[in-house]
Amino acid sequence: MIDFEELVENIKDFFSDSTKRILFICSILLFMTLCALFILILNMKKPEKKADGSVRRMELKNELLIPSGPEVPDEYVTSRQTPEKWSDSDCDEWFTVPGQSEIKKLREVNSKMADDILGAAP
């Protein structure tokens, strides 16, 4: 059977020998807990105010004017019908065939991206 008197004496001896150490550790733990609570309270986000639920619509009263300047060519049109296929002249004007050096650089960049994604996967 357990001898409670001996157990109580052992506990008293333990605490009497290291009372200063235990009080110091408890005070440090209490201080750290209070600091953590203080930081949590400061960092709690305040609820954001929600925007008004009504939707505003902008209605144009006048025709949309294109500003004149070097950044907007004169033949620029804000809305146009685009053809489904490019003509040969469009291809010659806007598309350039990449050379071997561009293809090599693209291959290197793609290989690096694939290696970064895969990493050390088996």
Side-chain angles (χ1 to χ4, degrees):
M1 220 191 231
I2 299 176
D3 186 13
F4 288 107
E5 290 179 12
E6 184 179 336
L7 181 65
V8 170
E9 284 181 33
N10 288 338
I11 292 174
K12 283 182 183 179
D13 288 340
F14 176 75
F15 282 112
S16 66
D17 291 341
S18 58
T19 304
K20 289 181 183 178
R21 191 175 346 153
I22 290 175
L23 287 175
F24 181 70
I25 292 172
C26 288
S27 62
I28 287 177
L29 289 175
L30 181 64
F31 177 72
M32 289 172 63
T33 304
L34 291 175
C35 287
L37 287 174
F38 182 70
I39 290 172
L40 283 174
I41 290 172
L42 287 179
N43 287 336
M44 286 178 59
K45 292 184 180 178
K46 295 179 182 176
E48 296 179 10
K49 294 180 181 178
K50 292 188 177 180
D52 189 15
S54 63
V55 177
R56 288 193 207 173
R57 291 197 174 170
M58 184 178 81
E59 295 180 14
L60 295 176
K61 296 178 183 175
N62 299 328
E63 183 179 339
L64 182 63
L65 298 175
I66 301 171
S68 60
E71 64 276 352
V72 179
D74 291 336
E75 68 271 2
Y76 185 80
V77 180
T78 56
S79 63
R80 63 186 176 98
Q81 297 293 329
T82 57
E84 290 186 25
K85 294 184 179 181
W86 283 14
S87 66
D88 290 336
S89 62
D90 288 338
C91 290
D92 293 339
E93 183 179 354
W94 297 106
F95 183 73
T96 56
V97 178
Q100 290 298 323
S101 62
E102 287 89 6
I103 292 175
K104 185 178 178 183
K105 287 178 187 177
L106 180 63
R107 184 180 299 123
E108 290 171 359
V109 170
N110 286 341
S111 296
K112 185 178 182 228
M113 284 175 49
D115 290 341
D116 289 342
I117 292 170
L118 295 177

